[in-house]
Amino acid sequence: MDMARARMKTTGIEGIRARVGPARERLLAHPLYRRLGTLEDVVCFMEHHVFAVWDFMSLLKRLQRELTCVGVPWVPTGDPEVRHLVNEIVAGEESDVDGAGRRTSHFEWYVRAMAEAGADPGPVMLAVGTVRGGESVARALGACGAPAAAREFSLGTFRVAEQGGVHEVASAFTYGREDLIPDLFHGLIERLSREHPGRLERFRTYLQRHIDVDGGEHGGLALRMVEALCGEDEVCWDEAGAAAVAAIEARLRLWDGICARLAGGRRGEAGAMAQVRAMG
């Protein structure tokens, strides 16, 4: 093996995989999954996680802008396989077919799932409307009433989408957004959907759709996208690795924030019940 190939073993895809391994393991073993036991817990989760569903699209749109041609006149741009990946994911995320056979974006699918479950989509929809009206993302997230952990997570995502190098955006997209919810969570939703008929069906089908599409060719093509963008540039590989770790660490902080909210809610409920018992 020549020196260049040896360096790629430590700075390429295998190098990033090793670099993100510890953070990824912590995420997949996070106590949040064991803390989610009731419909009310899942509602709290959704009210945080919906912001990650929204900001994901800006990572994807940055990649579409950089790796395909979206201008006029059109010219062939970049690697055709990478173009295929980006355009296919955009088509799915913006205009997939939901469990009822309707065309929808995954974000809108999630918002409908929230309404069905009894979660409040008001803050994220206010943020979207504020941005649509021309305000900055920072102002929108600051004024919409988003949970603090969700606000900080999304601010970080938008910062990467707007300011990161395209190889950093691709790495955050590939390593920070794929395959990061373990089977334990899917089993929980299946159980709660049976226990609360009609409350989590849209959320269950949303999760299943992501299992289906992320488990196909997207994962391999996303890795190819990172490889194509970094090439043999060791600096790019190092920055891509750092972006991947940062994306997973940001998700860990979001999960920590949801856990804290669940713990705070339960303590508040316990205190209220204690007051009732004392009065009685």
Side-chain angles (χ1 to χ4, degrees), residues 46-62 93-94 105-111 114 121-147 150-158 161-162 173 177 206 210 251 254:
M46 296 176 81
E47 289 174 349
H48 286 72
H49 183 237
V50 66
F51 286 89
V53 178
W54 176 41
D55 65 36
F56 166 84
M57 285 303 299
S58 288
L59 291 174
L60 180 56
K61 284 298 183 178
R62 169 72 188 280
E93 290 288 339
E94 284 193 317
S105 71
H106 284 195
F107 172 73
E108 291 162 311
W109 187 342
Y110 200 100
V111 168
M114 290 180 71
V124 75
M125 296 308 296
L126 178 58
V128 170
T130 301
V131 169
R132 184 180 285 125
E135 294 288 354
S136 69
V137 166
R139 182 179 292 274
L141 288 169
C144 72
R151 181 178 66 248
E152 293 307 311
F153 179 87
S154 284
L155 284 172
T157 301
F158 283 112
E162 293 168 356
F173 176 89
R177 296 301 180 119
Y206 169 90
H210 274 268
R251 184 65 67 102
L254 176 60

Side-chain angles (χ1 to χ4, degrees), residues 61-134:
K61 284 298 183 178
R62 169 72 188 280
L63 293 173
Q64 186 182 36
R65 188 178 73 193
E66 297 279 353
L67 302 177
T68 75
C69 182
V70 294
V72 177
W74 177 89
V75 293
T77 301
D79 182 335
E81 290 292 341
V82 173
R83 293 198 303 258
H84 168 72
L85 167 69
V86 173
N87 286 328
E88 183 175 271
I89 295 176
V90 168
E93 290 288 339
E94 284 193 317
S95 56
D96 205 354
V97 177
D98 68 10
R102 297 173 300 189
R103 288 288 175 190
T104 186
S105 71
H106 284 195
F107 172 73
E108 291 162 311
W109 187 342
Y110 200 100
V111 168
R112 285 197 294 272
M114 290 180 71
E116 180 180 73
D120 180 13
V124 75
M125 296 308 296
L126 178 58
V128 170
T130 301
V131 169
R132 184 180 285 125

